[in-house]
Amino acid sequence: MKKHDISVVFPTWNRKDVLKRTLKSFFSQSFKPKEVIVVDNGSRDGSVEMVKKEFKAVKLITNPCNKGTSFAKNQGIKASSGYYMLFCDSDIEMAHKNVIKNMAGIMDKYPGIGSLGGEAYKTENGVETKKKEITINCETSTVIMPKKKYYLESCGYVATCNCMIKRDLLLKLGGFDSSIIYAGEDKELGIKVAKQGLKNVVDSRCLVYHYISQSTKHRNFYAFNKNRIKIVVKNYGFLKIIGLPLLDIISAFDPKKFSDLNTKKVDIVKWGAETKGNSKIVNTAKIAGKYAFSLVLAYAWNIWHLPLTIYERFSKKNYLEAMNGHCRKT
C-alpha cells in the first residue's frame, strides 16, 4: 500500500474538543496516512491553536470565516498529494485501529469501487450501522443495516463523514459544488461516481463512530431542499427535472416522512422543528408546515438561479479550478 498514499481531510468549525478526539483516533491507526489536512472554517473556540500545539504533523489550512464544507473539502483536495483521499467529519472516531488499512486494501482489490465508507452510531440499544440511499425525488433514505457485519454493500452514496475515493477521480469530477454550504455535496458526489460506472460501497470493516456535534449541526429544511433541487437539475434527465415538483408533492403526503421525526429523540434530530414537549399531532403539523414553507422557498431560489445552474450543468464546471489562490496554510 506504500504506493497508494492517503491524504485525510477534516473540514471543521468550532469543534475543538471533538476534533482533538478525532485526531487522536487517526494518529493511532495501524496504517499511517501520508498527510492529515485540517481545514478550519473560521473557528473561534481555540481549534486552530489546539491543532498547532498538539498535532504538529497536521497540515493546517485556515479560513477567516465559515466558507462551507464543500469549499473546505476542495481546499483539502488542492492541498493534498495522496493517491487516495479520505474525507472525514471532525466529530467521528475510528471504530478500530485497522480502519484505514482495511479501506485502502479494499479499494486496491476492487477497482470497480468509486467511493468507500461506513458509519455507525452508538445508541441506547447498542451500535447501529447505516447506509444512505437516494429516493426517486433525490431525498436521502437512511437504511439501518440488519447485520453486525456486512461486506461490500452497495449504496446510493457514501456519507463524507467517512469516505475514501481516488484523488484522480475527484479531479476528473471537478471536486464539490462550493455553493453547497452544507447538506448534499456527498450525495452529488455519489451520483457522479455512479455515472462513471463505479459503485458506492459501505463495509463494516471500515466503520467510524459518528458523534453528531449539536453545537454546529444546523436544523434547516431549506438548505436540504435547495441543494437537492439544484442537484437534480445538474445531474438528472429532463423528465426527472420537470416531474420533480409532482414527486415532491407525493413525497410530502407520505405520513412516514414526518412521523419518523416524532419517534426520534430531539438531541439526534438533524433537522426540522424542535419537538420536545408537544403532542405527536402538534409536532407533525409544525414540522409539515415548516417543510412546506421551506420547499416553496427552495424552488423559488432554484428558479431564480436556473440560468447559472444550467450553465454549470452543460459547462461541467470544475470547482477545483476556481479554488486557485484560496488555500491559506498556517
Side-chain angles (χ1 to χ4, degrees), residues 305-329:
H305 291 87
L306 186 59
L308 179 59
T309 304
I310 292 175
Y311 169 77
E312 291 182 20
R313 174 185 176 125
F314 289 102
S315 68
K316 300 187 184 301
K317 179 177 179 179
N318 189 308
Y319 299 98
L320 293 172
E321 291 179 355
M323 294 295 299
N324 294 329
H326 286 286
C327 291
R328 180 188 170 200
K329 300 176 187 177

Side-chain angles (χ1 to χ4, degrees), residues 212-269:
I212 298 172
S213 180
Q214 292 303 310
S215 62
T216 55
K217 177 64 68 175
H218 296 272
R219 296 178 174 88
N220 196 329
F221 281 116
Y222 170 68
F224 277 78
N225 283 319
K226 174 176 72 72
N227 297 337
R228 175 181 60 85
I229 295 167
K230 183 180 181 182
I231 288 169
V232 170
V233 175
K234 286 172 59 183
N235 296 282
Y236 285 90
F238 180 70
L239 290 178
K240 174 64 74 68
I241 295 171
I242 63 174
L244 185 62
L246 177 60
L247 294 174
D248 280 345
I249 291 172
I250 294 172
S251 174
F253 282 94
D254 179 3
K256 190 174 184 299
K257 176 191 290 287
F258 303 109
S259 63
D260 279 353
L261 286 177
N262 284 315
T263 63
K264 296 178 181 179
K265 290 185 177 179
V266 172
D267 63 348
I268 63 171
V269 173

Side-chain angles (χ1 to χ4, degrees), residues 104-167:
I106 292 171
M107 292 289 284
D108 284 349
K109 186 175 181 180
Y110 300 99
I113 295 178
S115 67
L116 172 69
E119 60 178 318
Y121 294 81
K122 291 183 177 179
T123 71
E124 294 177 354
N125 299 320
V127 174
E128 285 184 351
T129 60
K130 301 180 179 181
K131 69 173 183 175
K132 309 289 188 182
E133 298 291 0
I134 301 175
T135 67
I136 190 171
N137 65 331
C138 202
E139 291 186 331
T140 295
S141 173
T142 301
V143 179
I144 298 177
M145 303 302 291
K147 297 174 290 187
K148 290 185 178 180
K149 293 184 179 180
Y150 53 91
Y151 306 108
L152 305 176
E153 182 78 23
S154 294
C155 60
Y157 68 96
V158 176
T160 47
C161 66
N162 178 37
C163 176
M164 181 174 284
I165 184 171
K166 289 181 181 177
R167 186 174 186 274

Side-chain angles (χ1 to χ4, degrees), residues 7-238:
S7 298
V8 185
V9 176
F10 294 96
T12 189
W13 178 54
N14 288 334
R15 289 180 173 176
K16 181 178 74 171
D17 293 334
V18 291
L19 175 62
K20 182 176 180 178
R21 177 185 60 199
T22 298
L23 290 175
K24 283 184 176 180
S25 173
F26 265 79
F27 282 110
S28 66
Q29 284 287 289
S30 61
F31 183 79
K32 306 300 181 186
K34 178 180 182 179
E35 56 191 356
V36 176
I37 303 169
V38 171
V39 184
D40 184 85
N41 259 329
S43 294
R44 297 292 183 266
D45 67 343
S47 293
V48 170
E49 293 75 15
M50 182 275 294
V51 172
K52 287 181 177 179
K53 180 180 179 181
E54 301 191 33
F55 299 96
K56 299 185 184 301
V58 164
K59 183 184 293 186
L60 181 63
I61 299 172
T62 60
N63 292 318
C65 60
N66 192 343
K67 295 178 176 292
T69 183
S70 295
F71 191 95
K73 287 169 184 170
N74 287 340
Q75 287 178 298
I77 297 169
K78 294 283 288 184
S80 68
S81 59
Y83 183 84
Y84 290 126
M85 300 289 303
L86 177 57
F87 295 100
C88 291
D89 283 358
S90 55
D91 56 354
I92 59 97
E93 184 178 15
M94 312 308 278
H96 52 80
K97 67 178 182 179
N98 292 321
V99 172
I100 295 179
K101 179 180 178 181
N102 290 346
M103 295 182 85
I106 292 171
M107 292 289 284
D108 284 349
K109 186 175 181 180
Y110 300 99
I113 295 178
S115 67
L116 172 69
E119 60 178 318
Y121 294 81
K122 291 183 177 179
T123 71
E124 294 177 354
N125 299 320
V127 174
E128 285 184 351
T129 60
K130 301 180 179 181
K131 69 173 183 175
K132 309 289 188 182
E133 298 291 0
I134 301 175
T135 67
I136 190 171
N137 65 331
C138 202
E139 291 186 331
T140 295
S141 173
T142 301
V143 179
I144 298 177
M145 303 302 291
K147 297 174 290 187
K148 290 185 178 180
K149 293 184 179 180
Y150 53 91
Y151 306 108
L152 305 176
E153 182 78 23
S154 294
C155 60
Y157 68 96
V158 176
T160 47
C161 66
N162 178 37
C163 176
M164 181 174 284
I165 184 171
K166 289 181 181 177
R167 186 174 186 274
D168 284 350
L169 177 58
L170 275 170
L171 296 178
K172 179 180 180 181
L173 297 178
F176 297 92
D177 183 343
S178 54
S179 73
I180 298 178
I181 303 302
Y182 76 100
E185 77 287 345
D186 45 8
K187 182 189 297 182
E188 184 172 33
L189 178 64
I191 293 169
K192 289 181 176 180
V193 165
K195 282 187 173 183
Q196 297 295 313
L198 301 170
K199 290 185 177 294
N200 299 293
V201 170
V202 291
D203 193 294
S204 62
R205 293 167 289 183
C206 309
L207 290 177
V208 301
Y209 297 122
H210 194 189
Y211 305 95
I212 298 172
S213 180
Q214 292 303 310
S215 62
T216 55
K217 177 64 68 175
H218 296 272
R219 296 178 174 88
N220 196 329
F221 281 116
Y222 170 68
F224 277 78
N225 283 319
K226 174 176 72 72
N227 297 337
R228 175 181 60 85
I229 295 167
K230 183 180 181 182
I231 288 169
V232 170
V233 175
K234 286 172 59 183
N235 296 282
Y236 285 90
F238 180 70

